[in-house]
Amino acid sequence: MSYGQQASSSSSSSSRLLRKANYGEDVIVGIIDSGIWPESRSFDDSGYGPVPKRWKGVCQTGQAFNASSCNRKVIGARWYAGDGVDEYKSPRDAHGHGTHTASTVAGSPVRGASHGAGSGLAAGTARGGAPRARLAIYKACHRVGIQTACGDASVIAAVDDAIGDGVDVLSLSLGGGDEIRETLHAVRAGITVVFSAGNEGPVQQSVVNTLPWLITVAAATVDRTFPTVVTLSEGEKLVGQSLYYHKRSAASKSNDSFSSLHFTVGCEKEQLESENITGKIVVCIEPSAGLASAALGGIAGGAKGIIFEQHNTDALDTQIMFCEGHIPCIVVDKDTRFRILESRSKMAKISPAATMVGPEVASPRVATFSSRGPSAQFPSILKPDIAAPGVSILAAKRDSYELMSGTSMACPHVSAIVALLKSVHPDWSPAMIKSAIVTTASVTDRFGLPIQANSVQRKPADPFDFGGGHIQPDRAMDPGLVYDLKPDDYTNDDIAIEQLNLPSIAVPDLKNSTTFTRTVTNVGPAKATYRAVVEAPAGVKMSVEPPVIAFQKGGPRNATFKVTFMAKQRVQGGYAFGSLTWLDDGKHSVRIPVAVRTVVRDFVADVS
């Protein structure tokens, strides 16, 4: 994947699928985002053959973007008028978000990449998850300040154009709106549509893009951290995390010497601007505002650095926007902050961050910011579907490379896997590809322990954190069984939404008992026998009939079964979680997540 050759967990796990798919050769991925920076080395088309003949798109020119801005890698580009500020009237990316996501999906390998200009942080080879895939760019989002805004009409137009142009996959790292319903047209055309889940976690019911035909992606951490040493004047060395490095510019402030410590409670921008912090390192005690507010106040007040108390380090890239080039911002936990406060030291100095990679870094973990289920709009549809790397992802931005975090960064990882699966299984429907990804996901880490979800207090991840689990690309190539759906099923009034043949089951209102029907399609060996393994949610009896399904050579490829849930006690309860796994002789494990909430009265609910 795109977070660097050092990120061992991804590069090794996806290698067989990469080779089998010939690295995504000639699969066309449509990126609906903020455009592209075509000069980036990630979009070099050296060694590429002609543009696929089935491509029907265009290279739309405009401000700072001419016909030569497209090539055999970026084979098409369109842009749609918007209300962006300081924005190019062309497919060129003023914000950087679209360039980052596009290079994450299909960037060509770039050796010696690292965060920023020569920082050495996250150094390695940056490449996309499907590095030989072609890119089609649809600029429907525009820069507004430090954010991007995406117009509904522009997104709808982009989806329609992408269908006509002939893309195989659509990747949309953007928030939900009414326009996402239009993506069903893409699914009808055989295009798999991948969306980000949102960045409002760990708040429950915050997940967006929850329509059943979409793949909705949560964000997880990777096996890389950026330890940063804070040396106290008494000699003690404490460690936090940051993206601080010595920039080679006149604006850079050296932190090689000791500076006075300034302790403050709250650490809001207005507060710091009113205090005497010039030349001092500010230690934020129980900050009431976020790191962004503290950074802006520290910069305005002339601080030499900020040590910020925070319960997690899932979004270090906040420092890129507010701290980098001005002052070092170090994130520490409460214990470290307390040790600084209780020491006799009056001064400290901050060293540049280092990069630590490998099995000693606990990962994956669901990121704190990753939006959580259940879906407020469709409680009978379990969302998100899957988790993928989305924290401190190194990818292209203008002519450089930067670390960015968000479900926006997780979405293109899954889009890349979809592209590879599309290459290996060109006859699979979008529903089959989604099923293969969800049912083969992992719910345990490399040590066999349950994957954790970061929050105010860390906990074992459940389906509302990461759906089926953390993506496992190689296993998705050979899932054994898949849950297929015809696109018209999604709008068939004769099929209740909870009875859609999805690779998950959500029961938001179990009063006594209810039964679900599901059908699996055998895409593995023609002769196979699968046995059901049930992990019933707490307080619920769960049964499967039949408990064994068998396939024979020359026989039907489909098998239908029923899953029944019965409340063990009448109680107005919260959600409990379980799973249903079909196991054959040991090669395939086909697991779907289950979420059940018992209720007595409809007007009283508990989503916890």
Side-chain angles (χ1 to χ4, degrees), residues 220-223 361-366 444-446 450-452 470:
T221 64
V222 300
D223 52 355
V361 180
S363 68
R365 287 174 173 165
V366 178
T444 56
D445 63 17
R446 67 175 68 88
I451 291 174
Q452 300 288 297
H470 193 271

Side-chain angles (χ1 to χ4, degrees), residues 226-248:
F226 301 97
T228 305
V229 175
V230 178
T231 304
L232 303 181
S233 55
E234 294 294 320
E236 186 176 9
K237 295 180 183 292
L238 302 173
V239 179
Q241 284 203 62
S242 78
L243 297 179
Y244 164 61
Y245 64 96
H246 286 317
K247 297 192 75 172
R248 298 173 182 174

Side-chain angles (χ1 to χ4, degrees), residues 15 51 152 205 240 266 353 395 402 576 588 600 607:
S15 58
V51 173
D152 288 1
Q205 292 185 304
E402 286 194 6
H588 298 103
V600 177
V607 300

Side-chain angles (χ1 to χ4, degrees), residues 17 28 37 102 105 178 181 183 218 314 325 329 333 377 382 402 471 500 516 545 578 605:
L17 176 58
I28 302 171
W37 197 265
V105 173
D178 292 338
R181 292 184 178 274
T183 56
D314 286 346
C329 297
D333 60 15
Q377 188 176 13
L382 201 157
E402 286 194 6
I471 194 165
L500 288 171
F516 293 78
E545 183 60 38

